[in-house]
Amino acid sequence: MKNFVVKTIANAGALAVAIWLIGNITLEGGSTGRKILTLILVALIFGLVNFLVKPLVQLLTFPLFILTLGLITLVVNALMLLLTSWLAGVFDLSFHVEGFWTAVLGALIISVVSWALNMVLPDED
C-alpha cells in the first residue's frame, strides 16, 4: 500500500512539473486545494493507464521497439499521456494536453522527473 501511495505522489509531482514547464499542458481550477486534488486524481488515472493499457501497447509495438532501438517508448508514453488527458475530460477533471508533440515533450519530462522522484522516495511495501 505504501508503494502505491509513493508512486502516486511521484506521478503527481512529475505531472506538476510538466504542467509548470509546458504551457499546452493545463490544470485549471479554483483554489490551490482543488488543483491539488485534481492533480492527485489525474495521477491516479495516469497510474492506472500505465498499469493496464501500457503493457498491451508495448506488446503490440514490440517489433517497432526493436526497429527503433527503443525510441518508440517515447511515443507510447505520449499516447498514454493523451489517453490520460481524454479520461480526465470524461471524468470532468480540468487537466488537458493539447496536441501530440506537447504530449511527447510532456512524456519526456514526466519520465525524467518520475524516475528522479522514485529514486529519492522510499518504495517499501
Side-chain angles (χ1 to χ4, degrees):
M1 181 67 177
K2 186 176 179 183
N3 193 25
F4 173 75
V5 172
V6 168
K7 290 200 180 291
T8 301
I9 291 170
N11 277 340
L15 285 165
V17 170
I19 291 165
W20 179 60
L21 290 175
I22 302 173
N24 289 335
I25 299 178
T26 58
L27 178 71
E28 298 170 358
S31 65
T32 303
R34 175 83 175 151
K35 285 183 180 180
I36 290 171
L37 178 63
T38 302
L39 187 62
I40 290 171
L41 291 173
V42 170
L44 287 170
I45 293 171
F46 187 64
L48 282 173
V49 165
N50 281 325
F51 180 73
L52 297 174
V53 179
K54 190 175 179 180
L56 178 64
V57 173
Q58 285 178 328
L59 180 67
L60 294 174
T61 60
F62 186 71
L64 288 173
F65 182 81
I66 302 280
L67 188 65
T68 63
L69 301 175
L71 290 176
I72 193 72
T73 303
L74 190 57
V75 173
V76 169
N77 288 344
L79 292 174
M80 296 304 106
L81 186 58
L82 285 172
L83 180 58
T84 300
S85 174
W86 179 76
L87 286 171
V90 168
F91 291 115
D92 201 28
L93 298 171
S94 59
F95 173 77
H96 183 68
V97 177
E98 188 176 320
F100 176 74
W101 293 110
T102 301
V104 170
L105 184 58
L108 182 62
I109 291 169
I110 289 169
S111 296
V112 170
V113 173
S114 182
W115 171 80
L117 287 174
N118 281 313
M119 293 298 289
V120 173
L121 295 172
D123 63 350
E124 303 145 4
D125 277 333

